[in-house]
Every structure is written in structure tokens, then in C-alpha cells.
Amino acid sequence: MRISVMGAGAVGCYYGGMLARAGHPVTLIGRAAHVEAMQRDGLLLDTASFQSRVPVQASTEASAVRGAQLVLLCVKSTDTEDAAAQMAPHLEPDALVFSLQNGVDNAERLQTLLQHEVAPALVYVAAEMAGPGHVKHHGRGELVIGLSTHSEAIAAMFIAAGVSVEISGNVVGALWAKLILNCAWNALSAITQQAYGELAQGKGVPVLQQEVLNECLAVAQAEGVTLPGDPAAMWGTIEAVARTMPNQRSSTAQDLARGRRSEIDHLNGHVIRRGEVHGIATPANRALHTLVKLIESRATKPV
Ligand code: KPL
């Protein structure tokens, strides 16, 4: 199966790299500095268990999705429409587009712009770009994918490449569970620039996260979302992040550190907007969202 990864950041490079390492033809589409490094030296896939230089195709052009049967969309939620518009003229008619993005509505937004089959996937990975063409993996890496024509085959391909995959019949619930996790961790890690392990020790952090969680659960319920498993177990899932990814800073923290726009409008911002629709107050989410937006607006570096 030919695979293109649109958005060769940490997530795109990790999953694209794992598939390329397993022998699949993978093209990574991203920023010039990463592309030049990958064209020259391959992708440096730097994980806790192995370090490998993986040969990949790399391009800065969205037209490089041409020929791919599977497109992994790994751009930020803020860039979904832009990426869809850039890819659309070049996608093969039978290409399947998988959204490996944070937030709950990317697949829906993509589907309104593409004629192709789109399926959401949830990503639980601790990874960052440590330099041009160098992805550093700090732990985990499992995927939850929605039902699609080829979900079984795609799951089998990832599993054979060393990525654990669950196929979910309740992908909306799974997306919300991930959103709640992001709401509890991403902004706090971004504001403090702390990794989860250290952050979890912070005075008042668990209490604040409980408040974020309660607001999210109220909004999810009003939205008619059925979370996978018992909602009471969500706290355990949140806590587990500090144990399973202690050295990871959130993607929002990484964005702010690079002076880039973050996805916060699609994380806590989404909960605030849906809360307003249902008349549910979300003060903890609102405070975190506002603080991230303030830091974001101070950023001076160009995107
Ligand atoms: O999705 C993430 C993110 O940082 O956006 C987690 C899984 C919380 C990993 O950091």
C-alpha cells in the first residue's frame, strides 16, 4: 500500500516512519527544513527501544499525495481546511484519508471538502521533532481507528509495523475521551512548559483537572456522546498520562515554544463553544483557553 503523510511533524513522522521501516513506500509532506534533511539522510526514527534511519520520500508539495491509497492527515486542526484544499486536486479517486489529529470534528470537516472516504483515528503518542528530519519518540503510540472500508487491512498493516491498533465502533465517544484528556493536560503543560510527570506533582493540579473533567463530561453528555467505558473511569485515564508519558510536553506546549499557533480552539475551545450551546458553564476550561490564547498572541515568530 502506498502511503502519504500530509503534515510531517512529530505524529506524522512517527507513524509514517514506523510504516516505512516495515517496508511500505511512504512519502512525508512537510516543511522545507525537515524535507531537505529527510531527502538527504532519511528519517531518523529515535525511539526508546531502537534508533533507525529510515529511507522515505519527502516533499514540501501537497501534490505528493498522488499515487497514495492511504493518506494520513497529521496537520494541526487549525490547518485542516487548508490541507484538504491543497490535497484535493491530487488525491487518487480511491484514496482513503485518515485524520490523525486532535479534536473531535476534523473528519467531519474534511468530509465536507473531499469526495473521498475519510475516517478518524485517535493518536496516543509521546513524540516531538528533535531536529530536522529527526523524530524523538518518548513512549506509547497506540491508535484507535474508526470503521471504514479498509479498517481491518489498515489495522493489520500498522500492527505488523509494531503499532498497536484498536478498531472502534464508537469513534465519536473515543474522540471525546481523547479530547477530555487533551483538555486536562495540553493547556497546563503549555502554560507552564512542563512535562506531564512534573506537572502532575504541582499543587492544585489534580483538583483543577477534576474540574476540567467534570465540565467536559457535562458537555459530552449534553451532546449525546457515549464515552467508551464508564465515565467515572476517565479520571484514571487522565492520571495514567503522567505515568505513561512522564517526560512529554503537550503538543500545545511544543507549538507555543516554537511561536506557532496552537490547537487550543479545537480542544478546550471546543468544549467552551459546545457548553455555550447547551447552557453549561465551563469556567475551568475557559481560564485555561484564555491563558493559552494570551501566550499565543505574544508569540513573535512567524508561522
Ligand atoms: O495528544 C496529545 C498532545 O500532546 O496533543 C497527548 C496524547 C496528550 C500527548 O502529549
Side-chain angles (χ1 to χ4, degrees):
M1 191 180 262
R2 281 201 156 276
I3 300 133
S4 283
V5 178
M6 180 76 180
V11 168
C13 285
Y14 176 70
Y15 290 103
M18 291 297 280
L19 292 175
R21 181 170 170 262
H24 298 281
V26 175
T27 302
L28 293 163
I29 303 166
R31 290 167 201 267
H34 292 307
V35 167
E36 278 159 27
M38 291 189 286
Q39 283 172 339
R40 197 180 50 241
D41 305 320
L43 169 72
L44 178 56
L45 185 55
D46 190 359
T47 77
S49 45
F50 65 86
Q51 225 198 30
S52 174
R53 259 197 201 279
V54 188
V56 288
Q57 300 286 319
S59 172
T60 55
E61 301 299 323
S63 56
V65 295
R66 218 175 267 142
Q69 284 104 35
L70 176 66
V71 176
L72 305 180
L73 186 72
C74 302
V75 301
K76 297 285 173 191
S77 300
T78 43
D79 298 330
T80 297
E81 279 79 9
D82 231 41
Q86 285 180 43
M87 294 188 307
H90 310 288
L91 283 171
E92 299 300 329
D94 62 347
L96 171 61
V97 180
F98 257 49
S99 150
L100 273 69
Q101 299 168 281
N102 279 333
V104 292
D105 61 359
N106 284 293
E108 232 171 89
R109 286 157 57 208
L110 276 169
Q111 198 64 87
T112 60
L113 296 167
L114 299 176
Q115 311 300 317
H116 302 76
E117 188 175 359
V118 175
L122 286 80
V123 175
Y124 289 92
V125 69
E128 64 178 325
M129 292 310 288
H134 177 185
V135 61
K136 180 120 186 82
H137 172 238
H138 295 292
R140 292 182 64 171
E142 67 271 26
L143 286 176
V144 180
I145 65 175
L147 294 170
S148 68
T149 337
H150 301 294
S151 11
E152 297 280 348
I154 289 167
M157 177 181 74
F158 272 112
I159 291 165
V163 173
S164 118
V165 181
E166 180 199 327
I167 301 176
S168 169
N170 173 21
V171 80
V172 174
L175 284 165
W176 266 86
K178 172 78 195 293
L179 175 72
I180 294 174
L181 198 117
N182 288 133
C183 287
W185 285 108
N186 283 42
L188 273 171
S189 169
I191 295 160
T192 61
Q193 288 295 317
Q194 282 182 320
Y196 303 134
E198 190 186 1
L199 192 49
Q201 307 300 317
K203 199 159 182 274
V205 168
V207 177
L208 176 55
Q209 289 181 316
Q210 286 271 7
E211 283 169 16
V212 170
L213 168 61
N214 291 339
E215 293 172 13
C216 290
L217 289 176
V219 175
Q221 192 184 19
E223 291 274 276
V225 172
T226 309
L227 291 170
D230 183 353
M234 261 315 296
W235 177 244
T237 314
I238 291 172
E239 272 189 313
V241 167
R243 279 195 313 279
T244 55
M245 306 183 181
N247 300 321
Q248 175 76 4
R249 287 181 307 155
S250 68
S251 56
T252 313
Q254 295 177 43
D255 287 337
L256 293 193
R258 294 191 169 109
R260 294 206 189 119
R261 190 172 166 206
S262 78
E263 293 183 300
I264 206 71
D265 289 340
H266 298 273
L267 307 178
N268 307 77
H270 185 82
V271 173
I272 295 167
R273 286 191 304 280
R274 298 313 300 166
E276 281 167 357
V277 169
H278 298 291
I280 296 168
T282 53
N285 278 282
R286 193 178 289 282
L288 292 174
H289 177 259
T290 303
L291 287 169
V292 171
K293 292 304 276 186
L294 285 170
I295 298 170
E296 205 178 270
S297 67
R298 246 181 17 197
T300 48
K301 282 196 220 157
V303 180

